[in-house]
Each structure stands twice: as C-alpha cells, then as structure tokens.
Amino acid sequence: MRNSWELSAQEQRHEKIMSEFSSLLSDLSENITNEDLEQLKSACKEDIPEEQSNSITSSKDWFSYLEKNDKLAPDNLYYIEHIFEISRRPDLLTRVIEYRTTVLKISEDDEIDTKLTRIPSAKKYKDIIRQPSEDEIIKLAPPPKKA
C-alpha cells in the first residue's frame, strides 16, 4: 500500500502531463488551418466515418474525436504522429516529438528504437531539430593578422 505522499506525487505528475498535453493540443490547433484540417481528416478517412467527419469543423473537434475513439491520449501519440507524417506536416510532427521527449521523458534512444523506426522519414525531421555537437560544428580559422 502506498502512502499519501507517493500518491500525491503521482497525482501531481499526472496533472502536469495533462496540462502539458492540453497545451500541446492547443499549440497544434493554432497551427492547423481549415484547409489543413480537411487534409488531416482525409488522411483519417478509414478511421472516421464520413457523417462524423462532416461534423468535425475545427482542429479541437478533430482532437476530441480522436481522444473519444482511443486514437489519442497524453501518452499515446502514435496515431497523430502517423497522420502528420503522411500529411507532410513536419512542423506539427516535430512539436509532438518534443512533447514526447520533454514531458513523457522518453529518451532519444527509446524514441529512435520505437517510433522513428516505425515512421522512416521522421528520423530526418528529428535530425533537423537536433542541435549539432561540438565535434560536428565546423570551426573556421581566425582571419589572418594584418602586418
């Protein structure tokens, strides 16, 4: 049996994740235009019946539908990662990867082993946002000194 402090810490972590998840969805929503939404819904047409798809008029509706149908959760982002990938939205995919790494604390090695091998071109997006190491930075020689 757990003591009240452990439960409280667990609850606090859950609240933080829920808050960060809500923030992520809000951020993603701000970057999805109506035209983008139509493209995303089209990419989901196998999972969203047409009559329900027609009633989804905003990105918030779309995220809500995905959550209600177990396609999206704070610790389950595979579906939207896949949709952003096939919809060619590396900007949105990158935000989801950042959330996964910072909030869910999934290390880059874990991430590469699971998701990035599942979505081949996501690896290139990861490389785009990764900062180069000191060894990878090309050092320029100092300018010649004037005599």
Side-chain angles (χ1 to χ4, degrees):
M1 181 141 173
R2 295 183 172 164
N3 65 36
S4 60
W5 180 84
E6 287 179 59
L7 190 61
S8 176
Q10 193 175 29
E11 286 173 348
Q12 285 176 350
R13 171 145 169 75
H14 177 74
E15 288 297 315
K16 179 174 175 10
I17 289 174
M18 291 307 291
S19 171
E20 292 285 347
F21 180 66
S22 179
S23 225
L24 171 70
L25 295 186
S26 179
D27 182 41
L28 293 172
S29 291
E30 289 172 15
N31 290 284
I32 296 174
T33 65
N34 287 339
E35 189 177 296
D36 295 333
L37 179 62
E38 290 308 312
Q39 184 180 3
L40 295 172
K41 288 188 333 185
S42 175
C44 302
K45 66 181 174 226
E46 293 174 13
D47 299 303
I48 303 176
E50 190 175 340
E51 62 276 3
Q52 289 177 315
S53 181
N54 292 337
S55 68
I56 295 172
T57 58
S58 72
S59 50
K60 287 182 178 20
D61 292 345
W62 184 63
F63 288 128
S64 179
Y65 178 88
L66 296 178
E67 283 185 277
K68 287 177 191 162
N69 290 276
D70 300 322
K71 297 281 185 195
L72 178 62
D75 60 349
N76 180 5
L77 304 159
Y78 294 115
Y79 187 79
I80 63 168
E81 289 169 3
H82 174 70
I83 296 303
F84 293 155
E85 170 70 13
I86 64 176
S87 299
R88 292 181 173 81
R89 288 300 304 265
D91 56 324
L92 301 178
L93 180 59
T94 298
R95 285 185 169 96
V96 175
I97 291 171
E98 287 171 356
Y99 165 88
R100 178 185 284 278
T101 306
T102 58
V103 177
L104 299 181
K105 306 287 190 229
I106 295 175
S107 75
E108 286 188 31
D109 293 339
D110 293 340
E111 193 175 285
I112 288 167
D113 290 344
T114 57
K115 182 178 68 50
L116 294 181
T117 53
R118 192 175 57 74
I119 303 176
S121 63
K123 174 75 171 91
K124 72 180 175 218
Y125 301 135
K126 184 68 179 158
D127 288 342
I128 289 169
I129 62 168
R130 184 182 62 80
Q131 295 299 313
S133 69
E134 279 295 314
D135 296 336
E136 293 172 317
I137 297 173
I138 297 171
K139 303 273 192 232
L140 299 175
K145 298 202 189 270
K146 293 183 178 176

